[in-house]
Amino acid sequence: MTPTRIAVIGLGSMGLGMATSLLRAGFEVSGYDVVTANAERLAAAGGRIAKTPAEAASGAAAVVCVVVNAAQTEAVLFGPDGCAATMKSGAVFISCATMAPDVVRGLAARLEAQGQHYLDAPISGGAARAAEGKLTILASGSAAAFATARPALDAMAATLHELGDAPGVGAGFKMVNQLLAGVHIAAACEAVAFGASLGLDLRKLYEVITGSAGNSWMFENRVPHILDADYTPRSAVNIFTKDLGIVLDMARAAPLSVPMAGSALQLFLMTAAAGMGQDDDASVARLFAMISGIDLPDGK
């Protein structure tokens, strides 16, 4: 039996991990990325490189789109060489980018008018879980979209939340997650800077806090980057300037005051303005160090 073909558009750390999970589950995977080196890593893992999103999507039962934002998602679907033109009738577009719910609804309506399905499926869990096929996926869409996407979802996720029968609901849940994630990262960085200002042993601080009530998943996950002075971007500062910006836009339209999200956004914006936008989001700690003149680990 010929393996089912799945296309993966966007082969960065998350998309590549998802693609390799699909390969491991027995799917035939075609992939596209604007960065040639990313596509070559898929080829090394056993996937097929496509020259355009349209080529990748041709003949695929599902297209998994793992790009950064709404604009890139729209370009993948409807831009020159977009995959909407080559997706077969009844195929499903699994959209993983974080974006505002109203934008999701607009993209879904355009695709569904052509006879294809759209599954709103933002992801959480990081690159390591993506490579293990253990992501959390916050999904919403029609019953047909879920049915068509389910084999691929089962290969990529340990936890699948089915949140509603229309695209946009998953995006709403993801924005709540991003509000909390951004605030928690900023708070973790502030706490480490505060500990450094007190002259505390930061590794001992990490040990104590991770076993105490003040711990958070983000503290536990991000503070080791600070301790090792390793700001290689697992998730970049600019991801949160984007995502918290969406939160603030949505809150203003509600209207709803979100002061903690607003404060966190300013910290990420200042960190980006200081030249660290492409660095790991734990770089907010370096911003505190620059402002206050405290010393953080230098990795030596």
Side-chain angles (χ1 to χ4, degrees):
M1 181 181 294
T2 303
T4 301
R5 179 181 296 176
I6 307 293
V8 180
I9 312 298
L11 296 166
S13 58
M14 295 295 289
L16 181 65
M18 295 160 76
T20 56
S21 293
L22 290 164
L23 286 166
R24 194 167 54 247
F27 293 99
E28 177 188 330
V29 177
S30 59
Y32 170 78
D33 195 285
V34 294
V35 178
T36 301
N38 291 347
E40 290 173 347
R41 283 194 285 270
L42 174 65
R48 182 176 66 85
I49 299 174
K51 295 179 180 178
T52 64
E55 181 184 328
S58 180
V63 177
V64 183
C65 184
V66 199
V67 295
V68 172
N69 57 29
Q72 290 183 7
T73 303
E74 183 174 20
V76 165
L77 271 172
F78 301 112
D81 296 316
C83 63
T86 58
M87 288 174 64
K88 60 186 181 181
S89 179
V92 62
F93 186 81
I94 303 173
S95 179
C96 299
T98 300
M99 60 184 108
D102 59 344
V103 176
V104 171
R105 288 188 284 267
L107 293 173
R110 291 171 66 184
L111 186 66
E112 290 169 352
Q114 298 185 177
Q116 294 110 354
H117 304 300
Y118 189 109
L119 191 72
D120 178 18
I123 54 179
S124 181
R129 291 186 187 179
E132 294 169 356
K134 295 182 178 179
L135 287 171
T136 296
I137 298 182
L138 315 177
S140 67
S142 68
F146 270 108
T148 307
R150 195 168 302 280
L153 298 174
D154 288 345
M156 298 185 293
T159 303
L160 171 64
H161 294 288
E162 299 186 34
L163 301 171
D165 60 4
V169 179
F173 277 85
K174 181 61 185 293
M175 294 320 305
V176 173
N177 181 79
Q178 294 308 92
L179 183 159
L180 288 165
V183 168
H184 288 174
I185 292 167
C189 292
E190 181 178 294
V192 170
F194 182 53
S197 76
L198 298 175
L200 302 180
D201 179 326
L202 296 184
R203 291 193 180 275
K204 178 59 68 173
L205 178 67
Y206 178 75
E207 178 185 332
V208 169
I209 296 301
T210 53
S212 302
N215 190 34
S216 68
W217 192 94
M218 284 300 185
F219 185 95
E220 194 162 338
N221 183 266
R222 296 307 203 266
V223 172
H225 305 173
I226 303 168
L227 298 178
D228 295 337
D230 180 5
Y231 298 98
T232 304
R234 288 79 159 181
S235 173
V237 167
N238 283 343
I239 294 294
F240 279 96
T241 64
K242 171 183 72 76
D243 290 356
L244 289 175
I246 295 171
V247 169
L248 268 290
D249 287 343
M250 292 170 64
R252 184 167 54 249
L256 175 70
S257 176
V258 285
M260 296 182 73
S263 295
L265 174 59
Q266 291 304 313
L267 289 168
F268 284 107
L269 287 169
M270 288 188 287
T271 304
M276 296 178 277
Q278 298 297 328
D279 294 342
D280 191 83
D281 51 32
S283 293
V284 173
R286 291 193 285 171
L287 176 73
F288 282 113
M290 291 168 59
I291 293 170
S292 303
I294 60 174
D295 293 324
L296 292 176
D298 60 10
K300 297 178 182 178

